[in-house]
Amino acid sequence: MLKKIDRLKLTTGIFLIWGSLLAPPVLAKENLARPELGTKQRIDGLYTENREAAIAFQQGVREYERGNFNRAEQEFRRSLQFDANIAMAHYLLGNILFQQRQYSEAATAFQAASSLDPKLIEAYFNLAVVRETQGQFDAALTEYQRVISLRPEDWRGYYNVGVVRVRQNNLPEAINSFTTAARLNPTSAQAQLQLGLALQANNQTTEAGDAIRRAIQLEPNSPLPYYQLGRVLNQQGNFNGAIDNFRRAISLAPNVPEYQAELGSAQTNAGDFRGAIATLETVVAANPSNALSRYNLAVALQRSGNLPAAISEYERSILINTKQPDAFYNMGLAMRDLGRNSQAISALLSARWMYADLNPDRPDLGSQNLSSMGSQNPSPDPIQDRVAMVDRLLLEMIFPFPERRG
């Protein structure tokens, strides 16, 4: 009798290479032949010829199925004391150790399982997940490629390769892997969503939107695809479409502050400052220590013309996170517009040095002086462009042009 045993769900927390949720790799599942009482011949023939090992292994499987993993671990270890060559015992022990975050021991168990049974593909698969969790991406890719070579029709191998490629910031290869995963499993909303995120990160927003819409068709009651589609539409300048999708995500998951925050940003972009301020004030009230939410509220206040309130929110945001050049820059503009030039200059200088520090390997950034500003040679480097932009503002404020008289 065969019975599927769900493996431990993997939650590695692989998030935000590009600023949005990235689902974890998929953990392997295996059809495990379940030993039955009174069928000694089947137990012995399947895993071991040692009766004591078989009894302990059988008890371990029962505890594993019940979710009693500590007890299952004890039984699997006892079975291996009688017979160290039970590949499935090593494999299931590895799953338990992974759940306990004992990654090195889990890797050893999976290696033992694959060595004893080279056809136990799940052992290679989960060893790759362990290596990825440990940050050993090249080692993880080696194991995933082994899985793909042995089971090329399994979408999970390609999907997990895509996850690793994202973590390596190799977006073209990630897109290829997610595309293959989605082709092999056209009903996987997860594969479509991650393909969309990789495309968005690679500035292929049209293709990204198409992939995320396919995810929505597959899982219309999941809030995350609506949220991610809203982010794509916001990036494309379709602010009303973004607002609609953020609201749909919120209707499905009303207690996720990121959804509310993105809605407020889209409302600001659409010019609905009153709505944006109301939305973002709710977000800030729920989490007053979130620097980004306060920054977004400050932007909405500034664009609505309420400069004193905007400056106050920028200051609160900076108190939480001092490394925000955009906050210093925007606050400097607001101070300048209020005639607070000395404070504006101080804020803009802070922004300038932070922008320059974003690329410390470039000797030309942060080393210019005021007399060298205004070069007519534009740079494709956006960081350098921001430094030059701040410098022009500083020049205008420190050395204003004299008024022309008629």
Side-chain angles (χ1 to χ4, degrees):
M1 168 177 170
L2 297 181
K3 180 173 180 177
K4 281 191 175 182
I5 294 180
D6 289 337
R7 296 293 170 258
L8 313 177
K9 186 177 180 182
L10 177 66
T11 54
T12 59
I14 304 176
F15 294 114
L16 276 300
I17 296 298
W18 53 74
S20 51
L21 293 176
L22 177 64
V26 178
L27 195 60
K29 294 185 177 180
E30 163 71 359
N31 288 335
L32 176 64
R34 178 182 178 182
E36 299 177 2
L37 289 175
T39 57
K40 178 179 182 298
Q41 183 178 359
R42 177 168 177 76
I43 297 172
D44 292 350
L46 184 60
Y47 290 121
T48 180
E49 296 180 359
N50 183 292
R51 180 175 178 79
E52 289 79 6
I55 293 173
F57 175 76
Q58 174 180 274
Q59 186 61 34
V61 170
R62 287 176 176 171
E63 298 297 338
Y64 189 98
E65 289 180 322
R66 295 168 181 165
N68 299 328
F69 297 120
N70 290 336
R71 180 63 178 165
E73 178 186 355
Q74 294 173 8
E75 294 298 332
F76 289 139
R77 290 190 185 278
R78 190 161 69 91
S79 71
L80 292 171
Q81 288 176 352
F82 291 111
D83 184 352
N85 295 320
I86 308 176
M88 186 59 70
H90 286 286
Y91 171 71
L92 294 176
L93 179 60
N95 283 349
I96 294 171
L97 292 168
F98 182 90
Q99 183 196 45
Q100 296 171 347
R101 301 182 184 273
Q102 299 183 47
Y103 300 128
S104 296
E105 294 83 352
T108 299
F110 291 136
Q111 286 172 323
S114 62
S115 177
L116 292 166
D117 184 359
K119 294 182 180 180
L120 185 55
I121 296 176
E122 283 74 12
Y124 300 116
F125 199 113
N126 287 0
L127 175 58
V129 174
V130 171
R131 296 304 186 203
E132 182 179 346
T133 304
Q134 293 175 314
Q136 301 176 24
F137 300 136
D138 290 338
L141 286 173
T142 297
E143 298 300 330
Y144 284 137
Q145 293 298 342
R146 192 196 305 265
V147 171
I148 289 172
S149 67
L150 294 171
R151 192 182 287 170
E153 75 283 0
D154 192 336
W155 71 280
R156 299 168 304 168
Y158 296 96
Y159 176 90
N160 284 11
V161 168
V163 172
V164 175
R165 291 302 191 188
V166 167
R167 298 189 71 176
Q168 293 179 321
N169 204 29
N170 187 341
L171 293 176
E173 288 297 326
I175 290 168
N176 289 338
S177 295
F178 288 135
T179 299
T180 303
R183 176 177 58 79
L184 291 172
N185 186 3
T187 64
S188 171
Q190 188 176 357
Q192 293 288 355
L193 179 59
Q194 299 312 312
L195 172 59
L197 293 178
L199 288 164
Q200 181 189 6
N202 206 40
N203 293 319
Q204 297 173 248
T205 56
T206 299
E207 296 87 345
D210 292 341
I212 297 173
R213 288 185 181 94
R214 290 193 292 271
I216 290 174
Q217 290 176 350
L218 292 166
E219 291 188 2
N221 294 321
S222 174
L224 186 57
Y226 293 103
Y227 166 71
Q228 300 295 1
L229 181 57
R231 296 182 69 249
V232 170
L233 294 173
N234 202 24
Q235 183 178 349
Q236 291 176 330
N238 184 352
F239 305 129
N240 290 329
I243 290 170
D244 290 341
N245 278 277
F246 289 138
R247 283 179 171 158
R248 182 62 188 274
I250 292 167
S251 71
L252 293 168
N255 297 320
V256 180
E258 290 81 6
Y259 298 174
Q260 296 277 357
E262 290 282 3
L263 171 61
S265 295
Q267 290 171 316
T268 300
N269 291 333
D272 180 12
F273 304 128
R274 180 178 296 179
I277 292 168
T279 299
L280 292 167
E281 283 179 340
T282 300
V283 175
V284 168
N287 188 2
S289 62
N290 188 304
L292 181 58
S293 296
R294 288 195 175 278
Y295 170 84
N296 287 338
L297 175 57
V299 171
L301 290 164
Q302 186 171 9
R303 292 189 61 182
S304 73
N306 190 344
L307 301 184
I311 291 171
S312 296
E313 284 302 329
Y314 284 130
E315 289 174 338
R316 294 187 183 101
S317 179
I318 290 168
L319 283 174
I320 299 168
N321 178 11
T322 59
K323 303 298 183 181
Q324 295 188 79
D326 288 348
F328 280 100
Y329 175 78
N330 288 350
M331 184 170 66
L333 294 182
M335 290 172 169
R336 179 200 62 178
D337 293 343
L338 288 175
R340 295 159 56 176
N341 281 9
S342 61
Q343 292 176 305
I345 290 171
S346 176
L348 291 170
L349 283 171
S350 295
R352 183 192 192 280
W353 302 127
M354 287 184 190
Y355 285 138
D357 287 343
L358 291 175
N359 199 343
D361 295 330
R362 302 230 6 203
D364 54 320
L365 291 184
S367 61
Q368 305 175 63
N369 55 47
L370 290 176
S371 62
S372 65
M373 301 305 159
S375 170
Q376 298 302 311
N377 298 319
S379 167
D381 187 333
I383 298 176
Q384 190 175 30
D385 288 344
R386 290 196 177 196
V387 173
M389 175 181 63
V390 176
D391 287 336
R392 285 193 293 272
L393 284 170
L394 288 169
L395 274 172
E396 294 173 3
M397 296 181 68
I398 297 173
F399 303 111
F401 291 105
E403 295 183 7
R404 294 191 177 185
R405 299 183 182 276

